[in-house]
Amino acid sequence: MSSSWNSVGLEVLYQVLGWVAFFAWSFSFYPQVFLNYKRKSVVGLNFDFLVLNLTKHSSYLIYNAALFFSPFIQRQYHEQYGDKEMIPVAANDVAFSLHAVALTAFTLFQVFIYERGNQKVSKVCVSITAIVWTAAIVCLIVALSKSSWLWLIDVFNSTQVGMTAIKYIPQAVMNFRRKSTIGWSIGNILLDLTGGVLNFGQMGVQSIDQHTLVNFYGNIGKTLLSLEVVFFDVVFIIQHYVLYPIKRDENADNGYPILPIEVKHVAAA
């Protein structure tokens, strides 16, 4: 027997939280895109961040779309976690992932058409990306032989969690070393934090309705994603407002200050 909601009110709240989180996370991509367009330059935007972020969101899209649309994978999920457990992926998760891949790809396109100085993708980033996708191909071959599709998408889910942690670290370290957050939009972080908190709240609502915590560890990637987002965004907010506050005369360009060209490694949030 398939699972269903026990409370209509909680189901509505679940959908509302999910879609508000979707819009918050989705809008968080635009400040960087608009800044690049306004400056006609991507100098100061870390290209490693973009490449790692594309891998992260592509992996998350594969997981979300496969679990949401595939009856076969859903059946494997129920066999592992129980028939009464709800699928821990909502329509807003798929929509967000699709939008994130598109916006990240568009930002990479801006790298090719706008001034980029002497910046380039690092060898470390290239190596990480190559290893991740090579491992994904190997896992695909293994899954084909055993029809372990739930296991395969769990691999992609784990990949996006790892990429999320990696992509945030360079920005936090750079802010610490420079003792400044100039050149990076706090708007991205505030929207990102909003999405993370609401995403976690959405999972909590489902747990309350189903009287179980299975959706938290059944979709451990979504759980860890929300926790990572909240943790790093709080770090960034403390850096921006407490440790390295920006003076009014430094906050130029309508809140999107331009980073000096000699600074090469800046990751967008």
Side-chain angles (χ1 to χ4, degrees):
M1 179 179 178
S2 60
S3 57
S4 60
W5 285 89
N6 297 312
S7 168
V8 175
L10 289 177
E11 181 180 8
V12 171
L13 179 59
Y14 174 86
Q15 294 295 337
V16 170
L17 290 176
W19 283 107
V20 175
F22 161 74
F23 285 113
W25 266 343
S26 297
F27 289 154
S28 72
F29 287 90
Y30 288 94
Q32 186 66 55
V33 171
F34 291 149
L35 177 60
N36 294 341
Y37 172 76
K38 183 175 183 178
R39 297 171 60 201
K40 298 298 186 292
S41 172
V42 292
V43 173
L45 173 62
N46 190 288
F47 300 165
D48 288 4
F49 166 79
L50 292 177
V51 173
L52 295 174
N53 207 28
L54 184 61
T55 297
K56 172 259 189 299
H57 287 302
S58 297
S59 299
Y60 200 34
L61 175 60
I62 291 172
Y63 172 82
N64 284 330
L67 187 53
F68 187 78
F69 290 111
S70 172
F72 183 79
I73 296 179
Q74 291 177 4
R75 184 163 59 251
Q76 290 188 337
Y77 180 89
H78 286 138
E79 289 174 355
Q80 180 169 337
Y81 295 106
D83 290 338
K84 295 183 179 181
E85 299 302 329
M86 297 182 68
I87 297 301
V89 173
N92 63 274
D93 295 318
V94 180
F96 165 73
S97 296
L98 183 61
H99 179 269
V101 169
L103 263 292
T104 304
F106 182 77
T107 308
L108 275 170
F109 171 71
Q110 290 183 312
V111 169
F112 291 98
I113 64 174
Y114 293 148
E115 171 62 32
R116 58 181 179 272
N118 60 353
Q119 295 180 204
K120 59 183 180 180
V121 178
S122 72
K123 293 181 180 179
V124 173
C125 177
V126 172
S127 299
I128 291 175
T129 304
I131 291 172
V132 167
W133 286 110
T134 299
I137 293 174
V138 172
C139 290
L140 174 61
I141 295 173
V142 173
L144 281 170
S145 63
K146 299 182 178 180
S147 295
S148 303
W149 301 115
L150 180 62
W151 170 79
L152 178 62
I153 66 170
D154 280 340
V155 169
F156 282 105
N157 202 12
S158 298
T159 297
Q160 69 91 10
V161 172
M163 292 295 100
T164 299
I166 292 174
K167 75 171 188 176
Y168 280 121
I169 292 174
Q171 181 70 64
V173 172
M174 189 211 69
N175 291 346
F176 171 75
R177 289 177 176 175
R178 296 175 60 236
K179 301 296 186 291
S180 174
T181 60
I182 294 177
W184 152 84
S185 174
I186 190 62
N188 290 347
I189 297 305
L190 296 178
L191 288 169
D192 198 39
L193 177 62
T194 300
V197 171
L198 292 177
N199 191 56
F200 201 78
Q202 183 189 36
M203 298 181 73
V205 168
Q206 183 175 335
S207 289
I208 293 172
D209 180 83
Q210 299 294 302
H211 307 292
T212 178
L213 296 176
V214 170
N215 66 302
F216 279 98
Y217 58 81
N219 188 357
I220 191 65
K222 186 174 181 179
T223 302
L224 292 178
L225 171 64
S226 297
L227 293 176
E228 286 176 336
V229 165
V230 171
F231 173 77
F232 279 104
D233 286 347
V234 169
V235 169
F236 291 143
I237 289 172
I238 292 174
Q239 287 182 325
H240 185 80
Y241 289 111
V242 180
L243 299 179
Y244 323 122
I246 296 178
K247 298 178 181 178
R248 183 175 297 274
D249 58 352
E250 292 176 324
N251 198 10
D253 233 359
N254 295 323
Y256 300 104
I258 298 176
L259 193 65
I261 292 179
E262 64 267 23
V263 177
K264 298 181 180 179
H265 303 291
V266 179

